[in-house]
Amino acid sequence: MNNKRCVIIGGAEIKDYSLIRKYLSSQDYFIYCDCGLKHEKFLNFKPDLIIGDFDSHSKPENLNNVIVLPVIKDDTDSIFAVKEAIKRGYDDFLLIGVTGGRLDHTLGNIYALMMLKQANKRAIIIDDYSETELISAGERVRVKYGCKFFSLINISGTARGIDIKHAKYNLDNAEIEPSYQYGISNEVLSPENDAEIFLREGNLLLIRVRS
């Protein structure tokens, strides 16, 4: 187990670096993936490890902290980074620069949350607009007032026994299937009561939308 948090930086667009920097700490372990290196000077955190096949960014001259991957491979650079960080014992993950742009890469990176959840790791994806995490059976999660919207999206199987309290749209022992996503754009109504979410079976993406 490694007590540091692992931050994995992909190459998707980041517009508001000042917002993203608020989530980062000098105590974090930073892995930059290929063209994610373009974010280094704006985030102002040096890489502890660089991973990539360097088909979209020049290869670093100093290879001491670099894992060079073949272009032809099963894993994307960011998925390889997730697996490598798991091997190195990290339990807490923050992924940035991994959503937006190419939809195939975005979806692959979102499903990395499931890989991390199955490995009993904590993980969240941050972008310019939202925070995304995967919640599983037995978890009780709160959403604070001030979040513009929050959404529950099912990406696998059937999620059952869903309760939502203290929100604009509450649920009691509900189900959500991937074929019908009706849990989008909910709201926390009062600063006095956080919205509460509980799930008895399955997995759901919880997306907190800032703006």
Side-chain angles (χ1 to χ4, degrees):
M1 182 180 71
N2 196 310
N3 291 326
K4 279 189 174 183
R5 182 178 61 173
C6 180
V7 178
I8 295 176
I9 301 104
E13 183 181 21
I14 297 174
K15 294 179 180 178
D16 191 344
Y17 286 100
S18 62
L19 184 152
I20 299 299
R21 281 196 299 269
K22 292 178 181 178
Y23 289 89
L24 306 178
S25 165
S26 60
Q27 301 302 311
D28 292 329
Y29 183 86
F30 291 91
I31 301 179
Y32 285 81
C33 301
D34 206 321
C35 67
L37 281 166
K38 68 186 178 185
H39 300 307
E40 180 188 349
K41 65 179 178 180
F42 302 104
L43 294 174
N44 199 28
F45 285 95
K46 296 293 184 183
D48 296 290
L49 180 65
I50 301 168
I51 291 174
D53 53 23
F54 302 105
D55 61 347
S56 56
H57 194 279
S58 58
K59 188 186 299 183
E61 295 182 4
N62 184 348
L63 298 179
N64 289 337
N65 63 337
V66 180
I67 296 177
V68 180
L69 302 175
V71 174
I72 300 174
K73 58 188 184 304
D74 291 332
D75 294 335
T76 63
D77 298 333
S78 56
I79 295 300
F80 186 95
V82 167
K83 290 182 176 180
E84 181 65 24
I86 291 173
K87 288 181 184 177
R88 296 183 181 214
Y90 289 93
D91 290 321
D92 195 4
F93 287 75
L94 174 63
L95 281 64
I96 60 177
V98 298
T99 56
R102 283 182 55 175
L103 180 59
D104 51 352
H105 279 277
T106 292
L107 289 173
N109 291 328
I110 288 172
Y111 272 92
L113 293 177
M114 188 167 288
M115 177 190 296
L116 288 162
K117 178 70 72 171
Q118 290 173 350
N120 295 315
K121 309 299 183 182
R122 297 178 298 275
I124 187 169
I125 293 175
I126 301 295
D127 59 32
D128 291 309
Y129 309 100
S130 60
E131 304 172 3
T132 302
E133 63 179 302
L134 188 70
I135 61 175
S136 297
E139 292 189 52
R140 192 177 300 275
V141 181
R142 293 178 176 269
V143 180
K144 293 184 178 297
Y145 184 80
C147 170
K148 185 173 184 180
F149 300 108
F150 70 93
S151 298
L152 294 175
I153 296 179
N154 188 355
I155 59 174
S156 176
T158 300
R160 295 184 173 90
I162 306 164
D163 295 341
I164 301 177
K165 297 179 181 179
H166 308 305
K168 185 174 184 179
Y169 307 107
N170 292 321
L171 292 176
D172 181 18
N173 200 30
E175 294 185 2
I176 298 179
E177 296 184 355
S179 59
Y180 180 37
Q181 305 287 351
Y182 65 87
I184 296 174
S185 292
N186 209 336
E187 299 176 43
V188 184
L189 293 179
S190 169
E192 297 176 358
N193 292 296
D194 297 343
E196 297 180 12
I197 302 166
F198 183 71
L199 174 63
R200 294 176 181 83
E201 182 180 338
N203 300 281
L204 289 170
L205 286 177
L206 169 59
I207 303 176
R208 295 177 172 90
V209 181
R210 293 188 217 89
S211 60

